[in-house]
Amino acid sequence: MLFNKNFMGRSYECMSDCADMSSYLNKCHSCRVESGCFMVYDRPNYMGNQYFMKRGEYADYMSMWGWSGCIRSCRMIPMHRGSYRMKSYERENFGGQMYELMDDCDSIMDRYRMSDCMSCHVMDGHGLMYEQPHYRGRMMYLRPGEYRNFMNMGMSGMRWMSMRRIMDSWY
């Protein structure tokens, strides 16, 4: 459920993906997740800064995350029970060294001596990539599929340094 600041004013209940919130709310500054997990974005069409939300209340997430805008789109993350498999590559288009991840990795550099991750292929599961080690900094949601070049996804200049699986226990 999305609201104006501090759960006041108009609200919009979202139970699936929403590419553009502007037709429902002028500005969304607070959120209550009653079930499931969502990725929210500060631009329409699932672009811009991303933030992961699991069940809970977020009265003023803007100051919490340092955003200057508001939620413009959101994507529901389906529950996944089972294994997680991702192949991570140091260069775009699946080039360079490849490492297979099957669990959380708090530092790609420490574990694999890989200075950068420029593309990946998620075979099973859903995960979050972080720009800093130990799951800090900006994040990007990864669902099953091929990600040939993170720069073409509006993520230029970002280095991905850690990865965490989205677990069914978070729902």
Side-chain angles (χ1 to χ4, degrees):
M1 181 106 38
L2 302 165
F3 299 91
N4 288 324
K5 195 170 187 174
N6 294 318
F7 308 109
M8 305 294 282
R10 292 180 44 199
S11 68
Y12 172 68
E13 187 169 352
C14 186
M15 297 169 69
S16 62
D17 295 356
C18 183
D20 189 357
M21 301 254 173
S22 63
S23 59
Y24 306 109
L25 290 173
N26 289 337
K27 293 188 180 206
C28 173
H29 293 287
S30 60
C31 180
R32 179 181 301 127
V33 178
E34 295 173 354
S35 65
C37 295
F38 287 83
M39 281 308 285
V40 297
Y41 303 81
D42 66 352
R43 292 180 31 209
N45 298 313
Y46 320 112
M47 299 295 289
N49 291 312
Q50 305 179 29
Y51 196 80
F52 175 76
M53 292 182 157
K54 57 185 177 179
R55 190 169 19 160
E57 291 190 352
Y58 304 86
D60 187 10
Y61 62 82
M62 287 177 43
S63 61
M64 185 170 84
W65 304 330
W67 281 11
S68 60
C70 58
I71 295 175
R72 297 287 185 201
S73 57
C74 70
R75 175 167 275 150
M76 189 174 128
I77 300 172
M79 185 182 300
H80 173 78
R81 290 195 173 132
S83 63
Y84 182 87
R85 272 187 59 221
M86 177 180 101
K87 291 182 180 178
S88 178
Y89 300 85
E90 68 179 343
R91 294 196 192 104
E92 63 277 340
N93 294 312
F94 313 124
Q97 287 284 43
M98 182 278 293
Y99 298 97
E100 189 165 343
L101 292 111
M102 296 177 72
D103 60 353
D104 295 349
C105 180
D106 68 347
S107 176
I108 292 170
M109 178 64 173
D110 290 347
R111 186 185 289 181
Y112 300 111
R113 301 288 180 240
M114 189 170 151
S115 62
D116 210 349
C117 173
M118 300 293 291
S119 59
C120 73
H121 179 196
V122 179
M123 282 81 73
D124 294 306
H126 298 259
L128 300 170
M129 293 280 288
Y130 294 83
E131 70 176 333
Q132 297 173 17
H134 308 289
Y135 320 115
R136 298 186 190 279
R138 291 181 290 177
M139 63 183 75
M140 179 174 62
Y141 168 53
L142 298 174
R143 56 188 178 176
E146 293 183 347
Y147 300 86
R148 293 184 168 278
N149 189 337
F150 292 135
M151 286 196 245
N152 290 346
M153 298 171 59
M155 301 293 178
S156 61
M158 289 183 68
R159 299 177 74 196
W160 302 106
M161 304 304 292
S162 56
M163 187 282 303
R164 178 175 276 167
R165 298 165 295 159
I166 298 174
M167 308 294 288
D168 62 341
S169 60
W170 296 1
Y171 290 82

